[in-house]
Every structure is written in structure tokens, then in C-alpha cells.
Amino acid sequence: MLAKVISAAVIGLEAVPIEVEVDIASMGLPSFTIVGLPDKSVDEAKERVRSAIKNTGAEFPAKKITVNLAPADLPKEGASYDLPIALGILMASGQLVTDANDAIFTGELSLDGRVRSINGALNQAILAKDKKYKRLFLPSENAREAAIVTKLDIYPVSTLKEIYQHLANLTAIKPIKPLRFSSQNSNTSFEYDMREIKGQQQTKRALEIAAAGGHNILMKGPPGAGKTLLARSFPSILPDLTFDEMIEVTKIYSIAGLLGKDAMVKTRPFRSPHHTTSLVGLIGGGSHPKPGEITLAHRGVLFLDEFPEFPRSVLESLRQPIEDNIVSVSRSKGKVTFPAKFMLVAAQNPCPCGYLGDKQKPCSCAPSQILRYQKKVSGPLLDRIDIHIEVPAVKVEKLTEADSGSIEDSKSIRKRVQAARNKQIKRYKKSNIASNAELTNRDIKVFCALTEECVNLLRVAVSKMNLSGRSYYRMIKLARTIADLEGNSEIKPNHIAEALQYRPKTDSLY
């Protein structure tokens, strides 16, 4: 007898339907075979399903069982096919009579019949809604995550016996109610606050601009100047995620298995990989491509401390994602594209010892060491960073002075950042743009009109500072953000002038 159950597979960030066909032959020696390009974890489902069915009180057929996962040319991985395979066997053996054509089933089985959580539940719920399925059966631990999707009946399943009784119309499982979330996270508490940082007003201003427009920033200064603390405090001034952005980020964290008990990611991600991180760890990949750090930082921050200490190949791999906001991972089995709209926050010392140009402590590095250190980060990569800021050592007077309350806290800075970001969301509501940093050259001509005075100032700057074409347009986007922070609808010469201050203090990047 043949039975069909619908499940789903997650490829990249998108889920696709998988038809689980179970055939129990009336003739032949007892066997259990799974076909359709299963990996080792899928092939091991045979033992989990066999034990789960027996320990639930049902009968496991002592016949020739063949399970086909269609489409057969798509590689299958993970344990989420356990539940649909078990149900297919119960239906094909006649122990369960039900109509399941309008439902998707997914879940891992334990040996005693309990249903364990899976990755990518939200992605599968979105698939079920898009493909017009009416019901989704999935592990109870994943139910709140999937309940973000509306107009879909989502049934939390704890055991194989529970879903059997529901499908057999013995004991019904109540569908979970859809969850509602607000995009306003103003009451979120953060570990670090800008108020705790003494001095560094110019760097705080640069970080405020970066947060308002989604710009990349590089901080350069001696050890102990506060670069890492400033970067750790950066999330406390970032604008709230919109609801659509929450969905995007939650989908990524769902397939990566990083959601935990949270149903939705409601704060902007902050990823801080160590400088020994591999190329695959940063970009993503593997035999079955998984998102890397740059995708986990989507709509948030990727902080690279000790910037030049990262391998050259790893740093150069950032160039294309920074420019295109996506990363494509190609393998012999296919190509997967992951989103990568992140803010790059980098920190580095001016030289190996860290004290080049310091007035208090002399540099102990040889000129060749300094040159070799500075060349670890290529000119094309530096050219893709909008804001370059020098972070000087904090004077002892600043460190020891009493807290007068005059230092601005993160909450007040975040209000200005949120107001500027709201202006951008309103301005770009008819396009797929969330911040000024995402503007293309064509968009700049539409949304960043310049006066003759601004054009003349930029013309002189390009000539004197040897700016590349990419730097030219990035300066305009940066000036647009500075204008938004001031509440101006037009870009003025003083906005251009401030933007130019954040270029590297060199004659040329190359």
C-alpha cells in the first residue's frame, strides 16, 4: 500500500516542499530503505522511526518498506523527516486512516516517540502559507516561532501518539494562536552604555552617524583608547528593527539553530568573530551551505576587532558582500544566496605595537614592520568603509573626573538616530531601501540632489584627496545621513564638509 505525506526542506533561507512517499510491499523480505539523496542523518531515521513506532504502541510492519523523498535530485539533510516518515508508515500499513493532503509535517523523533525541535520552523511555516496549505504540524518547542505566520493553522506536537490520536479523530490538538509583536524595542536593556565612556566625543559622533545611516566605520587608535568598548556600546544606539526586518533576521537564526526560547529576534544582531575565524565561518558554506557570520549579522553589526590580524583572504572576501549586500555560495550541488546587509565596525592599532603617533609613549616598530602591518588591509576594502576615525588615548584628567551627568547616554543618542532612520524609511518607502547606506548610484541621483556649492566642494575634494568614484558616492550618502540627523531635507555644504572629515588621513588609498 502507498501513502504520501508532505514535509519541507530548507535550502539556503527558503523552504521547499518535499513529498514523502511510503510503499509497503506485500511480497519480499523485511527491509527498510530510504531513497532520494538522503544524508547520514536522514538514513539514520530508520532506527529512530522503528523504535518510536514500537514504543508508541503501534505495530512496525515486518515487510519491505521503501521511502522516497521527492524531488529525488535534491539532497536531503537533517532529522526533520522522522515524523512524516513515521506517519507515512502508519498510513501505508492501514493503522492510520486520514486525509493529510492539506498539511505539512515536520519533526525529529526520539526513540520513545517524543517529537524534538528542528531548525527552520519559521521558514517552513512561510512555505506552508505561500503554497496554500491549511495546516502545519511541528514540534511544540517550535510552535511560538511558527505562530508569527498568520492565516495558517499551526499544531504543536509533543509525541507521535498525540498526533496519531489527532489525525484519527480521537483526541484533538488545539492550534496555537498567532503571535503579535511590536517593532518598538525602546525598553530593551543593553550591557554597555555610551554614558560609561569618558571623552571620545568625536568618535561617538561618528558612531551616531554610522548608526543613523547604516554606514561602515573603521576606528584606529592605540591600545586602551576604548575602541572595543565603543564598539560594544554601539548596539545601544542602533534604531529599532522594523517588523519585516525582524522576520528576515529570525529566518536566518531559525535555520542556524540560534533562536533558543525566543520566538523572534527583536534586537539588531551584533556578531564579533575572533580574528582566527575561517573563510567559511565568516562567509558561510559547507557541503550543505549554512550562513556565516556576515549573514548572522544581517540588519545588524559585524564587529571585527584587530582588523589587520584577520587573514588577507578572509578580509578580501568581504568586498563583494559589502558592495552587493548578498553573498553567493557556489558548490557542485548548486548555488545558495544569503542576505548580508550589515554594518561593518572594525578596530585596529596604527602599528604592531600600537603607539605610532602617540605623544606619551614612543613607537617601537621598525618602518618596514609598520608598512607591512598597514598593508594587511587592502585599499579597495578601505575604500568601501564610509567612516575612518582616529581614536586618541583618553587623558587621565578625563578618566578621573567625577561624573557630572553631562555625558550623554545611549537612550538620548538613540532617539536622534531613530528619528533620522524614520526619515529614511519614509523617504524610501516605495523602494526596497531601509537606510542611506543601501542607496545605489542611480538612487543617489534621485534622492540626494546637490546644490552647485556642494558640487564644487566635492569637485575640489576629489582632486585634492584623490577620491575614487566609489568614495565620491559614499561621501554623498554620508552627507545625506548627517543632514537627516540635523532634520534637514537638503544636503548643505557643511554636511559635505563633515563627511569629508571621515576619509582616511592619507593622500591616496592605493
Side-chain angles (χ1 to χ4, degrees), residues 122-186:
L122 174 59
N123 310 60
Q124 297 183 32
I126 293 173
L127 166 73
K129 181 180 178 180
D130 292 343
K131 295 296 183 180
K132 310 299 183 183
Y133 289 97
K134 296 180 180 179
R135 298 178 292 168
L136 173 64
F137 293 86
L138 79 174
S140 299
E141 294 178 39
N142 300 113
R144 291 189 73 249
E145 171 191 343
I148 298 168
V149 179
T150 58
K151 299 180 181 178
L152 176 69
D153 291 335
I154 297 170
Y155 294 87
V157 180
S158 300
T159 64
L160 177 61
K161 183 175 182 179
E162 185 181 55
I163 191 172
Y164 172 85
Q165 292 177 334
H166 174 86
L167 295 175
N169 296 321
L170 299 176
T171 305
I173 301 174
K174 293 183 179 179
I176 189 171
K177 295 181 179 178
L179 300 182
R180 293 286 184 267
F181 290 93
S182 170
S183 63
Q184 300 302 314
N185 307 309
S186 300

Side-chain angles (χ1 to χ4, degrees), residues 280-315:
V280 172
L282 190 69
I283 297 299
S287 56
H288 298 284
K290 298 295 183 184
E293 290 291 338
I294 64 172
T295 300
L296 294 173
H298 179 65
R299 299 295 184 184
V301 177
L302 177 68
F303 174 47
L304 302 183
D305 204 0
E306 305 298 339
F307 199 40
E309 299 301 333
F310 283 81
R312 179 74 177 241
S313 60
V314 172
L315 291 181

Side-chain angles (χ1 to χ4, degrees), residues 393-438:
V394 183
K395 295 181 180 180
V396 66
E397 293 82 5
K398 285 281 187 183
L399 293 174
T400 56
E401 68 180 5
D403 188 0
S404 62
S406 60
I407 302 177
E408 198 171 22
D409 64 2
S410 293
K411 188 174 183 179
S412 56
I413 298 174
R414 189 167 69 248
K415 286 182 180 178
R416 293 197 299 270
V417 169
Q418 187 65 58
R421 187 61 69 91
N422 290 341
K423 289 178 182 292
Q424 295 165 45
I425 293 172
K426 184 177 180 181
R427 183 188 302 130
Y428 309 130
K429 62 181 179 180
K430 294 183 180 180
S431 56
N432 189 28
I433 299 172
S435 65
N436 291 329
E438 298 175 27

Side-chain angles (χ1 to χ4, degrees), residues 365-397:
C365 303
S368 58
Q369 289 178 302
I370 297 172
L371 186 62
R372 193 181 308 114
Y373 181 82
Q374 293 179 344
K375 283 190 173 182
K376 287 184 177 180
V377 183
S378 69
L381 179 56
L382 290 174
D383 204 25
R384 287 167 166 81
I385 298 177
D386 303 339
I387 300 175
H388 297 251
I389 189 73
E390 299 286 342
V391 186
V394 183
K395 295 181 180 180
V396 66
E397 293 82 5

Side-chain angles (χ1 to χ4, degrees), residues 120-268:
L122 174 59
N123 310 60
Q124 297 183 32
I126 293 173
L127 166 73
K129 181 180 178 180
D130 292 343
K131 295 296 183 180
K132 310 299 183 183
Y133 289 97
K134 296 180 180 179
R135 298 178 292 168
L136 173 64
F137 293 86
L138 79 174
S140 299
E141 294 178 39
N142 300 113
R144 291 189 73 249
E145 171 191 343
I148 298 168
V149 179
T150 58
K151 299 180 181 178
L152 176 69
D153 291 335
I154 297 170
Y155 294 87
V157 180
S158 300
T159 64
L160 177 61
K161 183 175 182 179
E162 185 181 55
I163 191 172
Y164 172 85
Q165 292 177 334
H166 174 86
L167 295 175
N169 296 321
L170 299 176
T171 305
I173 301 174
K174 293 183 179 179
I176 189 171
K177 295 181 179 178
L179 300 182
R180 293 286 184 267
F181 290 93
S182 170
S183 63
Q184 300 302 314
N185 307 309
S186 300
N187 296 325
T188 303
S189 60
F190 296 92
E191 185 178 358
Y192 300 95
D193 194 283
M194 287 293 180
R195 175 176 284 182
E196 301 166 2
I197 304 173
K198 301 292 182 69
Q200 307 296 7
Q201 295 305 315
Q202 187 177 6
T203 308
K204 290 181 182 179
R205 167 66 175 173
L207 289 171
E208 180 180 339
I209 295 170
H215 301 285
N216 303 322
I217 182 171
L218 171 63
M219 296 180 287
K220 185 184 292 187
K227 302 184 298 296
T228 302
L229 180 58
L230 285 160
R232 296 286 181 184
S233 302
F234 188 53
S236 66
I237 66 171
L238 293 176
D240 295 333
L241 284 167
T242 64
F243 185 78
D244 290 339
E245 288 174 337
M246 285 185 189
I247 295 293
E248 291 178 29
V249 178
T250 304
K251 286 172 64 177
I252 295 169
Y253 277 68
S254 177
I255 65 168
L258 298 176
L259 271 184
K261 296 181 179 179
D262 297 324
M264 179 179 275
V265 178
K266 293 188 281 186
T267 57
R268 294 190 181 272

Side-chain angles (χ1 to χ4, degrees), residues 39 75 77 280 285-290 329 331-334 336:
D39 71 351
E77 63 166 335
V280 172
S287 56
H288 298 284
K290 298 295 183 184
V329 179
R331 295 291 182 268
S332 59
K333 297 178 181 178
V336 175

Side-chain angles (χ1 to χ4, degrees), residues 464-480:
K464 296 290 185 181
M465 302 173 67
N466 293 330
L467 297 181
S468 66
R470 181 186 293 112
S471 296
Y472 172 82
Y473 286 110
R474 285 185 176 272
M475 287 302 95
I476 296 175
K477 291 190 283 187
L478 197 57
R480 175 69 271 172

